[in-house]
Amino acid sequence: MQYFNFKNMIAYQISDIEKTNLQDVDSLLQGVLKATYRPLGKGQASLTTFSAINGNNANEPEYLHEIKDPRNETIGVVLRVNIAKRDLPNKFVKNEIERRIKKLESAGQKLEKADKKRIKEDVVNELIDKAFPKEKEVDIFIDLRNGLVFVGASSASVAENCFAFIRKVLNTFPAIPIRYEKEIGRELDNIFLQNGTRLKTATLDIAMKFKLTELDTLTYSVTNNLTECPLQSLQHLVQSRELTVSQLELADKNNELFFIIVGPKVGGANMPTFKGIETNLPDLLNERAAGATDDVDEELLHKEFRAFSAEQLLKSMNKIVSYTMEMFN
């Protein structure tokens, strides 16, 4: 039972949240309703819209989900951005352009630069509808209480595309990267060498999913499933700076929370991304489903489970961010 796309995550902070209209949920919803889901039209190569949380074919699509606390106060909202596009293989387009140019030139026509540009546009326009459309849904949790934004993606470019779309619709969306003082890659090395880290609120153990790469070059890598080396041998290579940790899975066993921290690329911003997030949410949902009566309204049950899922995921995302803020300052 999966309601939200949060196996992967990037976290941002909201600047000047009091100056935005994000806390006015009604106004936020009116903005979202201006760009609700529709499929790619004829001749369209790409389109970004808002998908319904409960499915675009639902009788009453829910385009904004409010997360409430036990006092029924709104502490966050969830939006689902749909990124649709048609991809034409570059080689196929190039070959078709060259074929048409060659045919015209063989017939004695002298083509200028503008003519070749027009031919390219004609080829793309004629072929774009034959390309199979792809859709990607990205869930965005906006934590109004803590001023954080959690994006269900592992690519910063995908997150920024979603933000650009939201800004276009709402005229504002001040989400910016969280600033970390310590070098994330170096800290991941230290955690790997120490078999984990002890924080104020939790003890995080290293799990058995990791990736080590050559320092700076990243041309050679070692993962846990591609080596039979003892862990101590790999730790020695990290200690001697022959390898560095580029991905590391950590486990908060008390809260049944597992996540992989992916360090920034060489030369990139000092910002982590997270993959393979696992929580105890599936077990909690199964327990609630087992306790439901046979005569319960199925649609209402799913609505309740979505609300419960959103609340639990928000707690888990906040835990991950609080851990990383303590680890990386």
Side-chain angles (χ1 to χ4, degrees), residues 13 64 90 94 99-100 130 182 192 211 259 264:
Q13 59 187 1
L64 183 148
N90 291 331
K94 184 180 178 182
R99 185 189 69 79
R100 295 190 187 190
K130 297 179 181 179
K182 294 182 180 178
F192 183 73
K211 183 177 181 182
F259 56 96

Side-chain angles (χ1 to χ4, degrees), residues 178-214:
I178 298 173
R179 294 180 180 272
Y180 294 97
E181 293 184 8
K182 294 182 180 178
E183 183 186 340
I184 291 172
R186 190 64 167 163
E187 290 304 310
L188 289 180
D189 287 352
N190 293 335
I191 293 170
F192 183 73
L193 293 173
Q194 296 166 11
N195 296 317
T197 182
R198 186 179 296 276
L199 306 175
K200 293 179 181 177
T201 57
T203 297
L204 303 181
D205 300 319
I206 65 167
M208 290 310 295
K209 292 179 184 176
F210 55 80
K211 183 177 181 182
L212 314 179
T213 58
E214 284 184 312

Side-chain angles (χ1 to χ4, degrees), residues 46-304:
S46 62
L47 177 66
T48 304
T49 56
F50 289 108
S51 274
I53 303 295
N54 57 341
N56 292 316
N57 295 320
N59 293 330
E60 297 180 5
E62 179 188 2
Y63 288 100
L64 183 148
H65 178 82
E66 290 185 64
I67 306 174
K68 296 181 179 291
D69 66 8
R71 293 177 295 181
N72 205 37
E73 294 180 1
T74 300
I75 59 174
V77 296
V78 187
L79 305 174
R80 177 167 290 169
V81 174
N82 185 289
I83 302 172
K85 62 179 181 178
R86 291 188 176 102
D87 286 328
L88 283 173
N90 291 331
K91 187 175 181 180
F92 181 70
V93 173
K94 184 180 178 182
N95 288 342
E96 181 61 19
I97 293 170
E98 291 176 350
R99 185 189 69 79
R100 295 190 187 190
I101 290 174
K102 185 176 180 180
K103 182 179 179 181
L104 292 171
E105 289 179 338
S106 298
Q109 289 193 37
K110 185 178 180 180
L111 300 177
E112 303 291 339
K113 186 176 181 179
D115 297 320
K116 294 180 180 179
K117 182 180 179 182
R118 175 182 52 79
I119 291 171
K120 180 180 179 180
E121 291 174 352
D122 290 343
V123 168
V124 171
N125 289 335
E126 290 174 22
L127 297 179
I128 193 65
D129 288 333
K130 297 179 181 179
F132 189 77
K134 297 179 181 178
E135 293 188 351
K136 178 183 181 68
E137 291 186 326
V138 181
D139 287 346
I140 297 178
F141 277 49
I142 303 172
D143 184 338
L144 298 172
R145 179 167 290 176
N146 297 304
L148 295 171
V149 178
F150 306 108
V151 183
S154 59
S155 166
S157 62
V158 170
E160 291 297 339
N161 287 342
C162 291
F163 294 162
F165 168 65
I166 296 173
R167 290 187 189 107
K168 182 178 178 181
V169 173
L170 302 180
N171 298 321
T172 180
F173 191 69
I176 58 175
I178 298 173
R179 294 180 180 272
Y180 294 97
E181 293 184 8
K182 294 182 180 178
E183 183 186 340
I184 291 172
R186 190 64 167 163
E187 290 304 310
L188 289 180
D189 287 352
N190 293 335
I191 293 170
F192 183 73
L193 293 173
Q194 296 166 11
N195 296 317
T197 182
R198 186 179 296 276
L199 306 175
K200 293 179 181 177
T201 57
T203 297
L204 303 181
D205 300 319
I206 65 167
M208 290 310 295
K209 292 179 184 176
F210 55 80
K211 183 177 181 182
L212 314 179
T213 58
E214 284 184 312
L215 197 65
D216 298 328
T217 63
L218 304 182
T219 55
Y220 174 75
S221 63
V222 175
T223 59
N224 60 300
N225 59 337
L226 292 178
T227 179
E228 295 181 357
C229 294
L231 185 60
Q232 288 182 337
S233 298
L234 296 174
Q235 288 173 324
H236 175 73
L237 292 173
V238 172
Q239 179 73 53
S240 61
R241 302 294 286 160
E242 295 178 59
L243 294 176
T244 186
V245 178
S246 53
Q247 295 184 20
L248 184 63
E249 184 182 29
L250 296 175
D252 176 1
K253 294 177 181 176
N254 287 335
N255 288 299
E256 298 183 57
L257 177 62
F258 295 76
F259 56 96
I260 298 171
I261 299 181
V262 182
K265 294 180 180 179
V266 175
N270 191 39
M271 178 179 177
T273 57
F274 305 93
K275 298 196 312 183
I277 298 171
E278 295 182 16
T279 70
N280 63 344
L281 179 58
D283 293 335
L284 294 175
L285 286 174
N286 287 335
E287 288 177 10
R288 294 172 78 91
T293 59
D294 294 335
D295 59 347
V296 69
D297 185 288
E298 188 172 345
E299 188 172 337
L300 287 176
L301 185 65
H302 281 285
K303 188 173 183 178
E304 178 195 333

